[in-house]
Amino acid sequence: MTEATNLLILFSDQHSKHMLGCYGNPAVKTPCLDALAADGVCFDAAYANCPVCVPSRASMAIGDYGSRHGYWDNAYAYDGKVKSWGSRLTEQGFSVTTIGKLHFKGDMPETGFPDQRIPLHIKDGIGDVYGEIRDRQITRPQFCKALEEARAGESDYTRYDREVAKRAAEFLRTEGSVSKSPFALMAGFVAPHFPLVVPQEYVDLYPDPEALPLPVQFDREEWPHHPVVDDYRRYCCQEDLPDSVKRNAIRIYYGLCSFLDAQVGVVLKALKETGLDKNTRVLYCTDHGDTMGEHGLFFKSTMYEGSVSIPMIFSGPGIRKGKRNATGVSLVDIYPTAIECLGGVMCGEDRRLPGRSLLAFAGGKEEPERAVYSEYLGFGIYTGEFMLRRGRFKYIHYVGERPQLFDLKEDPEECRDLAGDPEYCEVIRRMEKELRTLVDPEKAEEDARIAQRALLDRFGGQEAFLKTFHPSLFSPIPDLEEK
């Protein structure tokens, strides 16, 4: 029987695992997360179940894949129609508190998270309607603009993250320190998600952008080419950006990773000062990554490692210290992990979910051949993409386009696509067959398209919507004066 403890989840946004010292980057300064990793387990094959915010967070909440429940993209947010791990724990009498970003449909009791403090959700409960347009005609120049405008300074998001850290620390010092039964606290940060704006002190940590490690396949002549990937570059308007702009954006992203680390440090300091570290497990992860110049790509929405793989660090009672684990894990595993940590009970329907508790893996069990699945049916991608990682191989399936295959043991930077090599035909056949036991790619793409067209129709159709559309890159923060 696993010892019941509190659970502290530190959940960031768009944090590439390649931008952490504990994941092998010698240039980035992330001392607090590196210390957490030294005191726990780093999962080296951790993934988002979707490489974009809203459906990824739905999977985290419900422990299942978004396409099974209509959480297609950034306009179809978690709404409580499916039970969350928050629901299960709340029903069983446990205290569940969230502080910060959730990116659900709204602050609704149906989500199973009844105590949401300064929650950030999708805009107006609607989200990204522009993303419903998935043709090869439109572009998203504000993505390019986000890179061009990377700078030192303050933004709503940096102010918000400081407040999230402050309130999470206060919770631990007041409510958490006197709790008589196990509790769950989730602190949701926005960094290092764009806007690429970070206080000067964090920019100063990286005085020379030229000294930072060059992303793999950064130079144009090295870019890999695939119809879907090439069109995503076009969509983001990043094909012709000067190297100086891209390098500066990478520098600011590094600064945001260090800023995030500092906010995590505020919470972990309170955890230790209250003595709660002795009976609290801490899980750090993010909703998806960011390629940040790798393969000639920025941001998310692809199945390259920078975008879809994530950092996942687990520390606390019963967890080995300073270890790495090669087991394939993903955000759907948070559901059973949260319930087991607090000493809750999985209900019958929960046992049919694809996730498994991380506690056994964190305690020493290892299953490097465990399969991990991710999917994407949203903005910037004109056809559905689906990923299956099993052991050394990562297979990417595109509806109506040729697949990709990478051997991550021999080629961890994904520079050699093996899909065109006859030697790997059997691997592709086997992995596609397994993928189809999890999803019908063609049906998922069709169902997503139907839902996306229906949402556009609510706004009068694509043409009418575009006449009144005002672009925005991120969801606004809530009122921080809220008590």
Side-chain angles (χ1 to χ4, degrees):
M1 183 75 177
T2 301
E3 175 192 0
T5 67
N6 309 313
L7 176 63
L8 170 62
I9 300 177
L10 302 166
F11 203 80
S12 63
D13 196 313
Q14 202 159 314
H15 189 187
S16 169
K17 78 175 185 183
H18 299 153
M19 304 297 187
L20 275 162
C22 56
Y23 277 91
N25 188 325
V28 72
K29 294 173 175 59
T30 50
C32 299
L33 287 168
D34 293 348
L36 184 69
D39 196 46
V41 171
C42 272
F43 288 95
D44 287 328
Y47 288 86
N49 302 110
C50 181
V52 74
C53 298
V54 172
S56 176
R57 289 164 179 272
S59 288
M60 177 274 296
I62 66 174
D64 206 353
Y65 309 128
S67 66
R68 294 180 176 178
H69 305 280
Y71 302 122
W72 305 111
D73 55 40
N74 275 2
Y76 288 88
Y78 177 56
D79 51 8
K81 291 180 180 176
V82 185
K83 288 282 188 182
S84 68
W85 57 264
S87 300
R88 285 286 180 251
L89 288 172
T90 301
E91 289 168 354
Q92 295 175 35
F94 294 100
S95 168
V96 179
T97 300
T98 67
I99 302 173
K101 183 171 183 178
L102 289 170
H103 232 192
F104 297 163
K105 190 172 181 63
D107 183 1
M108 304 176 294
E110 294 92 334
T111 63
F113 296 93
D115 183 10
Q116 297 182 20
R117 306 183 189 184
I118 54 169
L120 190 159
H121 293 298
I122 62 170
K123 187 177 180 181
D124 302 324
I126 299 169
D128 181 22
V129 180
Y130 187 76
E132 306 304 271
I133 304 171
R134 293 175 55 213
D135 58 30
R136 300 193 220 188
Q137 306 302 316
I138 64 168
T139 60
R140 205 146 194 168
Q142 59 266 44
F143 277 139
C144 176
K145 191 176 181 182
L147 300 175
E148 293 173 330
E149 295 182 347
R151 60 179 175 83
E154 291 281 0
S155 72
D156 282 352
Y157 275 11
T158 55
R159 286 185 281 269
Y160 180 66
D161 274 356
R162 285 197 192 93
E163 188 67 17
V164 171
K166 175 185 170 185
R167 295 196 187 202
E170 287 175 352
F171 175 94
L172 294 171
R173 290 192 174 101
T174 56
E175 298 162 74
S177 61
V178 298
S179 179
K180 302 300 183 186
S181 59
F183 64 83
L185 171 65
M186 180 173 172
F189 299 102
V190 187
H193 190 286
F194 45 79
L196 293 169
V197 179
V198 70
Q200 185 69 50
E201 64 181 291
Y202 298 99
V203 180
D204 290 343
L205 295 174
Y206 309 98
D208 181 8
E210 299 285 331
L212 295 174
L214 200 65
V216 63
Q217 296 182 321
F218 179 75
D219 294 333
R220 188 178 187 120
E221 59 269 20
E222 297 177 321
W223 292 356
H225 294 288
H226 182 281
V228 176
V229 173
D230 288 344
D231 195 66
Y232 183 68
R233 288 195 196 98
R234 177 204 61 80
Y235 176 84
C236 295
C237 305
Q238 57 189 248
E239 295 171 297
D240 299 316
L241 275 175
D243 280 1
S244 59
V245 169
K246 293 187 284 188
R247 283 179 178 271
N248 181 61
I250 293 168
R251 177 195 189 193
I252 299 300
Y253 184 83
Y254 268 77
L256 277 167
C257 292
S258 293
F259 168 81
L260 165 69
D261 186 79
Q263 308 320 305
V264 166
V266 169
V267 183
L268 294 180
K269 180 182 179 184
L271 188 75
K272 187 170 184 178
E273 288 177 349
T274 56
L276 286 169
D277 58 318
K278 296 177 176 59
N279 65 335
T280 301
R281 295 185 178 102
V282 181
L283 177 64
Y284 173 77
C285 53
T286 192
D287 55 359
H288 53 78
D290 190 319
T291 44
M292 263 297 133
E294 297 165 5
H295 316 291
L297 297 164
F298 283 84
F299 308 120
K300 43 213 173 184
S301 305
T302 70
M303 292 298 175
Y304 279 106
E305 288 289 282
S307 170
V308 73
S309 69
I310 58 173
M312 188 175 282
I313 304 167
F314 205 14
S315 175
I319 296 173
R320 297 182 305 159
K321 296 180 183 294
K323 300 295 184 180
R324 309 197 77 85
N325 193 301
T327 303
V329 296
S330 69
L331 293 178
V332 297
D333 296 320
I334 290 179
Y335 189 115
T337 303
I339 292 174
E340 185 179 2
C341 270
L342 271 70
V345 178
M346 294 279 282
C347 299
E349 59 192 273
D350 297 337
R351 297 190 182 95
R352 293 189 288 271
L353 294 171
R356 287 168 58 188
S357 173
L358 298 169
L359 281 167
F361 302 129
K365 186 175 182 180
E366 199 155 349
E367 292 183 18
E369 292 295 317
R370 183 184 180 219
V372 186
Y373 169 75
S374 187
E375 59 190 12
Y376 187 64
L377 299 141
F379 64 81
I381 301 295
Y382 64 82
T383 190
E385 54 186 30
F386 305 83
M387 183 213 80
L388 185 73
R389 165 84 189 268
R390 180 181 282 282
R392 68 192 297 165
F393 289 111
K394 184 167 90 170
Y395 169 72
I396 305 168
H397 183 92
Y398 299 93
V399 174
E401 296 287 4
R402 61 181 171 84
Q404 290 180 296
L405 180 72
F406 297 100
D407 181 342
L408 296 181
K409 181 179 179 182
E410 296 296 324
D411 177 29
E413 293 187 325
E414 300 175 292
C415 293
R416 183 186 173 207
D417 182 359
L418 302 173
D421 188 332
E423 183 181 341
Y424 294 91
C425 286
E426 176 57 27
V427 176
I428 291 173
R429 186 201 65 78
R430 185 176 71 245
M431 295 197 77
E432 180 181 355
K433 182 178 179 181
E434 182 174 2
L435 177 76
R436 289 183 178 277
T437 66
L438 300 173
V439 65
D440 180 336
E442 291 74 24
K443 186 176 187 307
E445 169 68 2
E446 180 184 2
D447 290 347
R449 291 280 187 175
I450 291 170
Q452 288 157 349
R453 284 194 294 269
L455 182 55
L456 281 168
D457 286 345
R458 284 173 47 193
F459 289 83
Q462 179 172 326
E463 185 176 345
F465 169 76
L466 288 174
K467 287 179 180 178
T468 58
F469 171 67
H470 299 289
S472 174
L473 265 185
F474 47 88
S475 302
I477 67 170
D479 180 5
L480 297 184
E481 296 301 316
E482 172 192 336
K483 300 298 181 184

